[in-house]
Amino acid sequence: MDQPLYALGKQIQWRFPERYGEDKEKKWKASEWYSWLLVYSLPCLNGILPHEYWMHFLLLVQASYLLLQKSISLEDLHQSDLLFIEFVGKCQILYGAGVMTFNIHSSTHLTKCAQLWGPLWTHSCFPFEAANFRIKRQLQGNTGFIMQALRKFLFVHMLPSFISRMEVSDPILHFFHMVSSVVSLHGYNDVRVLGNGHTRLLSATECEALEALTIQVDINQAVTVYNRIRVRGHFYCSSSYRADTMKRNNTLVAFNDEKVGKLESIVALDDSCFMMVYLLELENIDTFSDPNANVQINHIKICNREDVSLTAVPTTDVHANCVEMIIGNHRYISKLPNYVSLN
């Protein structure tokens, strides 16, 4: 999707030079165009892009989002096909014949690609580029690259199995945990708390949150509290964890029941793990819709309120991360269509 979006971006820049001057978009990576299209563009351009162009741009955002979901229904395929055809048809009317390049035309074939080979992320280059980056970081010096990559790849992937099968001393086990910075919770192979954690008593509000899940707890009961956790490959951290140095905000969590919460702490209780969150009240944005084209952007919502009381949520209910944007007086919360292609 980066080529059609780049071509459209150049046309917007040419048509409205007083608003969109020369920028560094030529240096953007495909993943940055991906994030701009699906997450940042609508909140940033809201009220700036003229109405007719705004409605046209909604078609591209919604059609792309539908084809990038983790799973796509036949209805999604049909709707995305109609949206792409309408989007391409209006390009020449709005931006002139010069925009009708092969890159713009190729977007009309994306639905057929998804129908034949699955969602667009299944044949994306992102996972391969990410793997190459991880391998490149392990290389040192300027010789023997192939053997270095092989040795370190095998070391990283075989070490956990060696530790689990062999009897090792406590110092070696401590070194392993220090190197991996991972502690698995018993019974939850897809949940890993990160760091050492610290032991403390439950607060009154935490007890109330757990009791709301019909979990009997004692206010004098000691629990282990963590600031970081990885659930099914997704990383989350509490709002108090190195907020001034973190490059990304990983405190917002989307759950299976469509709820979104701000992570306050992670509590390990016996063999279970719970997230203590402040739930957010979200609603759709009226301007992010076009009834005539049957378009309603549902993955970007506006936050009206944040709960003042804690809610306990089992980590088994965790779905994925969310992206938060504060623009002016508005707080936008966005969900990505999938978390496979960028992981």
Side-chain angles (χ1 to χ4, degrees):
M1 284 308 301
D2 58 317
Q3 290 297 334
L5 183 58
Y6 175 76
L8 180 63
K10 295 302 293 182
Q11 289 300 315
I12 292 176
Q13 187 181 85
W14 169 79
R15 191 151 183 107
F16 306 104
E18 70 283 358
R19 292 182 178 177
Y20 311 101
E22 284 294 330
D23 202 353
K24 298 180 179 179
E25 82 288 337
K26 290 183 180 179
K27 298 181 180 179
W28 279 16
K29 298 182 293 184
S31 59
E32 292 172 318
W33 282 112
Y34 179 101
S35 300
W36 167 253
L37 173 66
L38 299 176
V39 179
Y40 301 112
S41 60
L42 291 181
C44 291
L45 297 176
N46 189 21
I48 297 178
L49 202 63
H51 180 73
E52 190 176 7
Y53 294 85
W54 170 264
M55 289 301 183
H56 178 245
F57 190 64
L58 284 179
L59 303 175
L60 178 62
V61 175
Q62 179 69 355
S64 303
Y65 188 91
L66 290 174
L67 296 186
L68 286 164
Q69 296 177 104
K70 190 173 182 180
S71 61
I72 307 174
S73 65
L74 292 176
E75 183 180 353
D76 292 337
L77 284 172
H78 179 66
Q79 185 184 6
S80 68
D81 193 36
L82 294 178
L83 294 177
F84 272 124
I85 292 173
E86 185 174 355
F87 168 77
V88 173
K90 290 183 177 179
C91 274
Q92 182 170 343
I93 299 174
L94 294 175
Y95 298 103
V99 75
M100 302 305 291
T101 62
F102 175 78
N103 286 333
I104 293 295
H105 166 75
S106 63
S107 61
T108 60
H109 297 284
L110 290 175
T111 301
K112 186 65 175 179
C113 293
Q115 186 177 4
L116 292 174
W117 301 307
L120 298 184
W121 58 266
T122 61
H123 38 280
S124 166
C125 291
F126 288 150
F128 301 98
E129 293 174 355
N132 287 337
F133 174 75
R134 288 193 293 268
I135 292 174
K136 185 178 178 180
R137 280 196 309 177
Q138 303 297 324
L139 302 180
Q140 297 175 343
N142 54 8
T143 59
F145 291 139
I146 296 177
M147 292 308 299
Q148 282 190 56
L150 287 173
R151 282 197 300 266
K152 293 185 178 181
F153 177 85
L154 291 174
F155 174 79
V156 169
H157 287 78
M158 296 301 296
L159 185 59
S161 64
F162 288 151
I163 294 295
S164 62
R165 287 184 296 154
M166 301 173 62
E167 293 185 6
V168 296
S169 62
D170 290 339
I172 294 178
L173 189 61
H174 175 73
F175 175 77
F176 168 72
H177 288 310
M178 182 178 64
V179 171
S180 62
S181 299
V182 170
V183 179
S184 298
L185 287 176
H186 298 295
Y188 290 90
N189 295 326
D190 54 355
V191 177
R192 297 177 181 271
V193 288
L194 308 178
N196 295 324
H198 62 278
T199 303
R200 64 168 173 81
L201 298 179
L202 287 170
S203 67
T205 54
E206 288 172 337
C207 287
E208 293 177 2
L210 290 170
E211 288 172 354
L213 296 177
T214 66
I215 297 175
Q216 298 298 321
V217 293
D218 186 349
I219 197 170
N220 295 320
Q221 182 174 354
V223 295
T224 306
V225 179
Y226 298 88
N227 285 320
R228 297 175 295 157
I229 191 171
R230 190 179 296 276
V231 183
R232 290 182 289 277
H234 305 154
F235 174 75
Y236 308 91
C237 63
S238 66
S239 56
S240 60
Y241 176 73
R242 296 171 57 184
D244 55 334
T245 60
M246 291 291 289
K247 293 182 179 180
R248 298 174 181 171
N249 181 356
N250 293 298
T251 62
L252 295 182
V253 188
F255 301 102
N256 294 333
D257 55 3
E258 298 297 321
K259 293 180 180 178
V260 175
K262 184 176 181 180
L263 181 58
E264 184 66 17
S265 62
I266 302 150
V267 176
L269 184 64
D270 298 327
D271 288 340
S272 302
C273 193
F274 300 91
M275 286 185 170
M276 297 293 174
V277 301
Y278 293 107
L279 293 179
L280 307 181
E281 183 183 287
L282 307 177
E283 69 175 20
N284 288 331
I285 307 169
D286 293 336
T287 55
F288 287 19
S289 64
D290 182 1
N292 295 327
N294 193 26
V295 174
Q296 172 63 60
I297 304 297
N298 292 316
H299 68 279
I300 304 176
K301 300 180 184 292
I302 198 164
C303 178
N304 291 326
R305 187 174 62 88
E306 182 178 314
D307 280 356
V308 295
S309 58
L310 282 175
T311 299
V313 183
T315 51
T316 51
D317 291 348
V318 170
H319 176 61
N321 304 80
C322 289
V323 179
E324 179 184 34
M325 295 161 283
I326 299 177
I327 302 176
N329 296 324
H330 300 295
R331 184 182 182 187
Y332 297 95
I333 307 297
S334 175
K335 300 178 184 177
L336 292 175
N338 74 81
Y339 293 83
V340 181
S341 59
L342 295 180
N343 279 348

